[in-house]
Amino acid sequence: MERKTILYIATSVDGYIAQPDDDLSFLSIVEKEGEDYGYAEFINTIDTVIIGRKTYDWILSHVPEFHHADKTTYVITKTPRATIGSTHFYTGSLPELVTRLKKEEGKNIFCDGGAEIVNALLQDNLIDEFVISIIPILLGSGTKLFQDGRGEQLLDLISVKHFEKGLTQLHYKKA
């Protein structure tokens, strides 16, 4: 069975994954002790991560250690860098990488953002499932999750979950 590429991401109601200057502080409005919104369960279903270089750099500047160090990670970048453990800095064709990874043995592939990577994958119809957590806030500006200019893609709803802090989680798969 072919591995799936899964986007697991949070967005504001008006479709922003970050405020201007890559500010993610709005995510804190749904923080609740002991609630991870299914993240730990999800992370056990994947063994490979695809992440953009800007998102990777942001994570490293905000957390003490890279939280995907135990996974095979491909940081999509234009600047070659040496591999660090299981983290590879990939400068080649993103569609070719994902197509190759999907044919290899293993668990699913996690697209951890950012918006440029998400939209590049959507251009080639390479995201199989979408787990989108809607944060109950209208931001008005920032980094949009979905950009214009890609083809239409029909989705089937797998589930909807709602949580005490107002977060709603939508899970779709490609139709």
Side-chain angles (χ1 to χ4, degrees), residues 7 9 20 26 47 53 71 82 86 89 101 109 112-113 126 140 152:
L7 173 65
I9 202 162
F26 75 99
D47 62 7
R53 197 256 326 140
K71 312 285 184 196
S86 61
F89 296 88
L101 289 173
I109 303 159
D112 193 16
L126 289 170
E152 180 179 285

Side-chain angles (χ1 to χ4, degrees), residues 20-55:
D21 298 323
D22 298 324
D23 180 0
L24 300 179
S25 61
F26 75 99
L27 298 173
S28 67
I29 66 173
V30 295
E31 285 179 2
K32 180 181 176 197
E33 185 73 33
E35 179 61 78
D36 75 349
Y37 300 104
Y39 184 77
E41 183 181 339
F42 166 74
I43 215 71
N44 287 329
T45 69
I46 63 110
D47 62 7
T48 305
V49 178
I50 295 172
I51 187 169
R53 197 256 326 140
K54 286 191 273 188
T55 303

Side-chain angles (χ1 to χ4, degrees), residues 74-128:
Y74 292 90
V75 179
I76 309 307
T77 181
K78 293 179 179 81
T79 308
R81 282 158 76 175
T83 296
I84 302 170
S86 61
T87 301
H88 309 277
F89 296 88
Y90 184 79
T91 59
S93 162
L94 181 57
E96 286 176 18
L97 172 67
V98 173
T99 301
R100 177 176 56 82
L101 289 173
K102 288 174 80 159
K103 292 177 182 168
E104 292 177 358
E105 289 291 317
K107 294 181 178 182
N108 290 326
I109 303 159
F110 173 20
C111 176
D112 193 16
E116 287 180 46
I117 301 305
V118 169
N119 286 284
L121 291 172
L122 286 171
Q123 287 287 352
D124 290 298
N125 201 19
L126 289 170
I127 299 178
D128 301 297

Side-chain angles (χ1 to χ4, degrees), residues 11-22:
T11 181
S12 64
V13 171
D14 54 349
Y16 295 98
I17 59 173
Q19 292 170 275
D21 298 323
D22 298 324

